[in-house]
Amino acid sequence: MQRMRLFHEIPADRPAMPLLARIDAPNDLRQLNREQLQTVADELREYLLYSVGISGGHFGAGLGVVELTVALHYCLDTPFDQLVWDVGHQAYPHKILTGRRDRLPTIRKEGGLAAFPDRHESPYDTFGVGHSSTSISAALGMALDARLTQSSRRHVAVIGDGALTAGLAFEALNHAASEKANLLVILNDNDMSISRNVGGIRDYLARLLSSKAYTRSRDEARKLLEPLPPLAHLAKKTEEHLKGIMSPATLFEEIGFNYIGPLDGHDLGALVTTLENMRDLTGPQFLHVVTQKGCGFVPAEDDPIKFHAIGKLNAKSDAPPAPQPTYSNVFGQWLCDLAAVDSRMVAITPAMKEGSDLIAFAEAYPERYFDVAIAEQHAVCLAAGFATQSIKPVVAIYSTFLQRAYDQVVHDVCVQGLDVTFAIDRAGLVGEDGPTHAGVYDIAYLRTLPNMIIAAPSSEHECRTLLSTCYHHPGPAACRYPRGQGPGELPGSDLETVDIGRAVKRREGASGVVILAFGSRLAGALEAAQTLDASVYDMRWVKPLDTEVLDAVAGATLIVTVEEHQRMGGAGSAVGEYYADQGLAVALLSLGLPDRFEAHGKPNDMLARVGLDAAGIQAAIAQRLS
C-alpha cells in the first residue's frame, strides 16, 4: 500500500478529491479495493485541513485517526454495526465519511454540524458525546442489547489514552470482561503513554495474534489441555508472559480482554488486516493502536498542543482586538501571585492545564501543581484529603466537568466542611462547543449544599477579588466565571478581599425598576438600565445573598434578576425563595436560560437568542411593565 502524503500548510482552496468525492456513505467506501484506501485517506486528510481552516475547530485528534477511521468504516458494516467515538474531538473524519462531507465547513456554526457526534444529526452517530470516557460503557450497553435480542450487530468503542485515565473507563472494562460481551475496544494511544516503541516486530505480532490461524490454534490447544489443569494453567501463563514481553498486554489480559497490539495506527494495510481478523472474534477484544496527534500535517506533528484546535484562518475584523486578558488568564495570574505569598496553597486540575491557564503556575511551582488527568472525582477527593491537613487546595475545573464530581463535592467536601476553593471556569454559555460543554447548572447544584458559598464575578477585577475572598473563607467556596474576556475592568496586583454576601450598587435609577445582576450579565443589565432608568446592583454572591439589599428593594415597582444560568434553580430562584420565606409579596421577574439545551453558535448570538443581551433584558422588562 502506498505511503501517506505529508502536508506543510493548510489549503486555501478546496482540494481535488476524485475518490473522496464519490463517498457519500461508508458503503461507497467499501466498494473500493484495498489499494485505493490510502488515496482516500490522503484526500480525507487534505480536505479536513481545508475544512477546519474555514470553520475553525478541533484539529489534531482528527488528523491522527484518519487511517483508523477509514479502516473501521471499510471493515465494519456501519451503521448496522455500531461505532462509538469517545469525546468526539477525533470524529471529524468520521463525519466526512458518513454523508456530511460537504457540510463539514459549517461545523460549530449556528445551524451547522455539531462539534461532537450527535444522535440527532446522523444514524452513524450512535451515541452523543462531549465529556470523555463514556464510549466503553455506552458500547457495552449496545452489545448487551444485541445479545438479549440475538442480533448479529458488532460493537466498537474507540477511546483515547487520555480518556482511559478516567475511572469510568475502567469500570466499563471490568464489567465488559465479567459479561464476556462481544465488544471491541480500540485504544487510540496518541501520546504513547502506554507504549513508546512501535515498529515492524510489534505490527507483525499484532497481525499474528489477531489472525484466524493463531486464534484457532490457541483455542484448540486450550481444549486439549483442559482435562490437564496444571498443563492448561502453565500454557495460559506462558502465552500471557510471551505476549507481555512484546506488548503491554498484561493489564488488559488480566481483566479478561484478548489484547492485540500495539499496532501502527497509520499503517492502513495492517489496520485493515487486523480489523478483518478480529471482526468475528467473540468475547471482549482490545486493540491497541498507536497514532500521532496531528499526523500528516507537519506543523501539528511538531506542536500537537498548539494544533489541538484552531481558529478560522481567514477570519477578518475591522480592527485587531486589543490585548486583554481572559478570565482564565486572570485566574492563572492570581494563582501565581497567591502562591508567592502563601506556601500552603496547591493547585489541582483534571487535565485542564492549558484551558484553565495553569501553565505559568506549573512551571514556577511544579511541586505544588497536581494534574490528575481526566479524573474529576479524584481531583475533588484529593483536594478534600489535602484540606484535612495543613494544605489549602484550589481546584481549577470547568463548570461542565465539575458535574462529574458532584458526589465528591457533597460527600467529601461539604459534609465535612473542608476548606476547598473551586475555581469554576466556563460558567455560562460556551458558544461553538454547544450544550455538552455549557456551564449552566452549577448554581443550582451547588447552592443547595450546606457550608458552600458561591461567588459570581461580573468583571476581571471582580474575579480576582472574589477568588481571593473565596480562598480565605475557611470552608467550601466556589467562584464561577465565564469563558473568554470580560467587560475590560482589569484587575490590579493586590490580593484584596471583600465581605462575603455583600452586593454593590452600580446604578441609581428613578423608574422603580431594580435589576439584580449575578455575574457576567451585569454589563448587559447596565446597558438596558440606561434606557429604562433602572437601578442596578452587582450582587456578587449567589450564596449567601445580600438580604439587606433584598429587604431594601422589596417595595420596587419591579425586581429583575439576571443570570447566565438555567432559570430554574438559579440565582433568581434563590431570590424568590427568600421573599417567599419572608412572606413578602414582590413583583419579581427572573431572567435566565430557558428549559432547553441551547444549540451551539457564536456567544453573542446565543445570548441574543435567549434574551440575555441588553436588548433582550430591556424587552423582557418592558413587556412585564406593560
Side-chain angles (χ1 to χ4, degrees):
M1 190 170 285
Q2 67 191 73
R3 294 176 61 85
M4 175 201 307
R5 283 178 60 195
L6 294 179
F7 299 91
H8 294 267
E9 59 185 22
I10 296 174
D13 299 315
R14 184 183 176 97
M17 41 187 187
L19 283 182
L20 187 63
R22 292 160 44 188
I23 299 172
D24 295 319
N27 192 52
D28 299 325
L29 175 69
R30 293 189 279 269
Q31 306 310 308
L32 303 179
N33 59 55
R34 288 180 56 163
E35 286 67 34
Q36 294 174 294
L37 295 183
Q38 187 60 58
T39 300
V40 172
D42 291 339
E43 291 178 6
L44 195 159
R45 181 171 277 111
E46 186 175 16
Y47 181 70
L48 178 61
L49 289 167
Y50 162 75
S51 175
V52 179
I54 293 173
S55 64
H58 295 105
F59 191 73
L63 291 172
V65 294
V66 167
E67 286 77 19
L68 178 60
T69 307
V70 170
L72 282 167
H73 282 296
Y74 188 73
C75 295
L76 295 174
D77 183 20
T78 53
F80 178 75
D81 293 338
Q82 295 184 303
L83 179 59
V84 182
W85 295 96
D86 210 284
V87 181
H89 296 162
Q90 56 190 337
Y92 285 28
H94 161 79
K95 294 199 178 202
I96 292 171
L97 291 177
T98 54
R100 290 165 282 180
R101 178 191 59 241
D102 296 333
R103 294 186 63 208
L104 195 69
T106 72
I107 203 163
R108 296 163 58 89
K109 297 178 182 177
E110 187 164 356
L113 296 181
F116 306 100
D118 184 339
R119 280 170 49 82
H120 300 100
E121 189 175 285
S122 170
Y124 293 92
D125 292 358
T126 60
F127 197 74
V129 293
H131 293 187
S132 83
S133 315
T134 61
S135 60
I136 304 175
S137 297
L140 176 59
M142 298 172 190
L144 294 178
D145 172 83
R147 186 168 73 187
L148 290 169
T149 59
Q150 298 183 334
S151 170
S152 60
R153 270 182 164 167
R154 305 176 182 92
H155 295 89
V156 179
V158 184
I159 186 168
D161 57 312
L164 198 65
T165 62
L168 176 60
F170 283 93
E171 292 170 22
L173 285 170
N174 181 62
H175 185 212
S178 69
E179 291 285 350
K180 297 181 171 55
N182 294 333
L183 173 67
L184 170 59
V185 175
I186 298 178
L187 172 60
N188 171 27
D189 182 1
N190 63 20
D191 200 25
M192 295 186 290
S193 59
I194 293 179
S195 173
R196 296 183 179 276
N197 298 315
V198 180
I201 294 177
R202 289 175 181 269
D203 290 352
Y204 169 74
L205 181 66
R207 290 192 292 271
L208 173 66
L209 295 179
S210 66
S211 69
K212 289 182 173 61
Y214 170 81
T215 54
R216 184 167 57 250
S217 300
R218 180 196 63 189
D219 293 343
E220 288 175 357
R222 286 177 178 175
K223 287 179 182 178
L224 288 172
L225 293 173
E226 275 179 4
L228 304 169
L231 289 178
H233 178 73
L234 177 61
K236 184 175 185 297
K237 286 298 178 184
T238 300
E239 178 191 9
E240 288 175 357
H241 287 302
L242 284 173
K243 290 168 76 174
I245 291 171
M246 304 299 290
S247 63
T250 307
L251 170 63
F252 303 108
E253 291 277 6
E254 289 296 330
I255 290 175
F257 277 76
N258 177 45
Y259 174 94
I260 306 294
L263 184 69
D264 181 352
H266 302 297
D267 185 338
L268 244 177
L271 285 169
V272 170
T273 298
T274 303
L275 287 170
E276 286 178 341
N277 289 339
M278 299 185 74
R279 188 164 47 196
D280 296 317
L281 297 180
T282 59
Q285 306 294 323
F286 194 98
L287 175 61
H288 178 180
V289 301
V290 178
T291 63
Q292 183 174 15
K293 204 168 185 179
C295 183
F297 182 55
V298 175
E301 291 182 2
D302 294 339
D303 192 347
I305 294 176
K306 177 181 177 181
F307 285 94
H308 169 71
I310 64 170
K312 301 176 186 178
L313 294 187
N314 298 317
K316 296 179 180 180
S317 59
D318 295 334
Q324 182 178 320
T326 65
Y327 281 98
S328 300
N329 299 150
V330 171
F331 165 72
Q333 185 60 55
W334 168 81
L335 200 66
C336 290
D337 294 344
L338 181 64
V341 299
D342 191 342
S343 61
R344 299 171 301 161
M345 189 270 285
V346 300
I348 302 168
T349 181
M352 286 289 109
K353 177 182 178 181
E354 288 79 22
S356 295
D357 199 11
L358 290 161
I359 300 170
F361 178 84
E363 292 176 353
Y365 302 96
E367 73 285 354
R368 294 158 67 180
Y369 168 71
F370 298 91
D371 186 337
V372 302
I374 303 174
E376 294 87 356
Q377 292 173 282
H378 171 56
V380 174
C381 201
L382 174 68
F386 269 130
T388 65
Q389 307 302 304
S390 58
I391 297 297
K392 285 179 68 69
V394 175
V395 179
I397 192 167
Y398 289 8
S399 171
T400 186
F401 298 144
L402 185 59
Q403 295 162 191
R404 312 187 84 183
Y406 187 57
D407 184 60
Q408 283 62 47
V409 177
V410 178
H411 178 269
D412 301 318
V413 176
C414 288
V415 168
Q416 302 184 85
L418 293 175
D419 188 1
V420 177
T421 300
F422 295 93
I424 304 177
D425 202 338
R426 269 61 167 184
L429 298 170
V430 291
E432 290 87 348
D433 282 342
T436 59
H437 283 58
V440 295
Y441 313 107
D442 53 90
I443 290 176
Y445 69 68
L446 291 177
R447 77 177 184 85
T448 60
L449 302 180
N451 294 325
M452 176 67 76
I453 66 170
I454 308 168
S458 59
S459 69
E460 302 90 334
H461 178 269
E462 286 287 304
C463 186
R464 183 178 173 103
T465 300
L466 293 179
L467 280 167
S468 293
T469 305
C470 286
Y471 178 79
H472 289 291
H473 172 68
C479 182
R480 67 182 308 266
Y481 47 91
R483 181 182 190 175
Q485 298 176 337
E489 297 176 10
L490 301 184
S493 58
D494 57 51
L495 295 167
E496 66 175 348
T497 61
V498 295
D499 292 336
I500 293 172
R502 292 297 180 196
V504 178
K505 193 169 191 176
R506 297 292 296 268
R507 188 182 192 280
E508 179 69 53
S511 66
V513 175
V514 175
I515 302 176
L516 309 179
F518 292 87
S520 62
R521 292 296 84 220
L522 174 66
L526 286 168
E527 186 178 340
Q530 293 286 345
T531 302
L532 298 165
D533 195 17
S535 298
V536 179
Y537 287 85
D538 180 354
M539 294 301 289
R540 278 184 168 170
W541 299 93
V542 176
K543 183 182 180 184
L545 290 167
D546 190 333
T547 56
E548 290 185 10
V549 166
L550 297 186
D551 290 340
V553 303
T557 302
L558 180 65
I559 301 169
V560 184
T561 65
V562 182
E563 60 191 304
E564 194 173 336
H565 183 276
Q566 289 293 112
R567 196 172 67 84
M568 290 190 296
S573 294
V575 171
E577 289 163 11
Y578 173 77
Y579 284 128
D581 289 344
Q582 301 305 308
L584 295 172
V586 300
L588 182 63
L589 172 63
S590 294
L591 300 181
L593 296 171
D595 183 25
R596 64 175 186 249
F597 294 106
E598 286 301 322
H600 59 279
K602 291 184 178 297
N604 289 338
D605 292 342
M606 294 181 73
L607 288 171
R609 186 200 307 162
V610 297
L612 288 179
D613 61 347
I617 294 169
Q618 179 185 332
I621 294 172
Q623 182 179 13
R624 174 60 66 88
L625 291 174
S626 66

